[in-house]
Amino acid sequence: MYFAALLARTEDGWEASDTELDDVETLSDLADLAREASPDEDTVLVLIEQEDAWFGVVRVDGEDDPRIYVSDAAAAQRSAYGELLLTDELLGREPGADDGPDLDALDLDGTEDGESEENDDEEEEEGGGGDAVPHSPVGDSQILDDLGIGEKELRILDAEDALSTIAEALGASEVLETVR
């Protein structure tokens, strides 16, 4: 289960709207959706939480590139909505790098170089994968600095109540709760 909302800053304060991400396929689509919520090119925050496992904040300021923060990259990677946010750039990968194994180089008889499958599994469990996604925050941890939530506060937020805490700090608790 996920929850996603748009918080748009206006002259009168924050306005919230519940949003469905089913038709959003890329980060660009998400940024466009956010921009539609604020015709005056004000700041829009897309807040996403997935089953109290992780949360993400996407900040769109007018036509600027979106800024992203994800609380737990590994948890988010297991979610279709998290995959929207986890760009190669955010993860420090070369854009367009192949994430999967080279299928032509695999020995598909269950062993590789004479080793048993058990050894391969042990290596993976020990972190043998070079492109592993970290079980830690990624992205712009200063994304909400100018809105009253510093890097330290953002990093210690628990995924279970992070969106409520963020909304409270912004003075948008009531508007967020109306769409929850």
Side-chain angles (χ1 to χ4, degrees), residues 26-173:
T26 65
L27 182 58
S28 294
D29 293 344
L30 186 61
D32 290 343
L33 182 68
R35 287 183 185 105
E36 289 171 12
S38 178
D40 295 331
E41 296 189 6
D42 289 320
T43 297
V44 178
L45 301 176
V46 181
L47 304 175
I48 303 171
E49 79 181 352
Q50 179 86 34
E51 298 176 358
D52 299 331
W54 66 274
F55 71 92
V57 178
V58 178
R59 179 175 178 161
V60 178
D61 294 302
E63 291 299 318
D64 292 346
D65 287 340
R67 296 168 54 194
I68 305 165
Y69 175 83
V70 176
S71 67
D72 183 336
Q77 184 181 33
R78 294 186 295 268
S79 157
Y81 302 111
E83 286 181 347
L84 282 174
L85 308 180
L86 297 174
T87 62
D88 287 336
E89 181 181 337
L90 193 70
L91 295 172
R93 294 181 183 158
E94 196 64 36
D98 186 16
D99 295 331
D102 180 5
L103 296 179
D104 294 332
L106 289 179
D107 182 1
L108 300 176
D109 69 357
T111 61
E112 191 167 275
D113 297 331
E115 296 178 14
S116 71
E117 287 182 10
E118 292 174 22
N119 289 344
D120 290 342
D121 290 342
E122 288 172 13
E123 287 176 14
E124 285 180 21
E125 288 174 13
E126 293 171 6
D131 284 337
V133 176
H135 282 282
S136 62
V138 295
D140 185 351
S141 57
Q142 298 175 344
I143 192 169
L144 301 173
D145 272 0
D146 64 324
L147 300 174
I149 301 172
E151 178 177 358
K152 186 176 180 181
E153 292 94 351
L154 188 61
R155 286 184 173 271
I156 62 171
L157 288 177
D158 184 323
E160 186 174 338
D161 59 353
L163 300 190
S164 297
T165 303
I166 291 169
E168 187 175 320
L170 299 174
S173 295

Side-chain angles (χ1 to χ4, degrees), residues 7-24:
L7 283 178
R9 186 166 55 181
T10 67
E11 291 177 359
D12 301 325
W14 291 95
E15 292 181 6
S17 57
D18 187 13
T19 188
E20 285 293 322
L21 300 179
D22 294 339
D23 294 332
V24 175

